[in-house]
Amino acid sequence: MAITQQRARDLAVDILLHLANDPEELTQFLSVSGLQPADLRSLQDRPEVALFLLDFLAEDDRRICDFAAALNMRPQDIMAARTVLSGPGSYGWTAD
C-alpha cells in the first residue's frame, strides 16, 4: 500500500484514538514526547505531533507490533508512514 502524507497523518490520528483507550500507553507517550493533552488536538495542523506518535511506536518492537495488529496493518506500514512524514533515510527505511 502506498502511503501518502495525508494517509500518514490519518494513521497517526488512528493511533492516537487507539492510545486514548490505553491510559497507561497514553501517559507514557505524553511523558516521553513532552506534549500536553491539548497539543494532541492540533494533530492535523502540526505534522510533528503525528511524527512523535509514529516514533513512539517505533521505539518498541512489542508496541509497534501490538498497534499494527490492533489497526489491522503490518508494522512496516507504520514505518512507511513515519518515513513519509520524516523523509527517506530515517531509521534506514524507504517508503514503498
Side-chain angles (χ1 to χ4, degrees):
M1 135 171 65
I3 298 188
T4 64
Q5 289 265 335
Q6 185 59 52
R7 175 64 186 125
R9 286 190 296 271
D10 291 346
L11 175 59
V13 170
D14 292 342
I15 291 166
L16 179 59
L17 293 172
H18 192 76
L19 268 177
N21 290 318
D22 188 338
E24 184 178 316
E25 288 281 6
L26 182 59
T27 299
Q28 187 174 2
F29 168 69
L30 291 171
S31 175
V32 299
S33 69
L35 295 170
Q36 299 298 315
D39 296 327
L40 301 178
R41 291 186 195 102
S42 65
L43 186 65
Q44 292 295 341
D45 300 326
R46 296 180 50 202
E48 70 273 12
V49 175
L51 192 55
F52 288 147
L53 279 162
L54 296 168
D55 279 345
F56 177 70
L57 294 185
E59 289 174 351
D60 182 283
D61 288 343
R62 177 205 50 85
R63 187 181 296 135
I64 198 169
C65 289
D66 288 352
F67 274 84
L71 297 171
N72 198 29
M73 60 187 337
R74 305 172 308 163
Q76 55 265 46
D77 294 333
I78 294 171
M79 290 304 297
R82 193 214 172 276
T83 300
V84 165
L85 292 179
S86 66
S90 179
Y91 277 102
W93 286 76
T94 57
D96 290 343

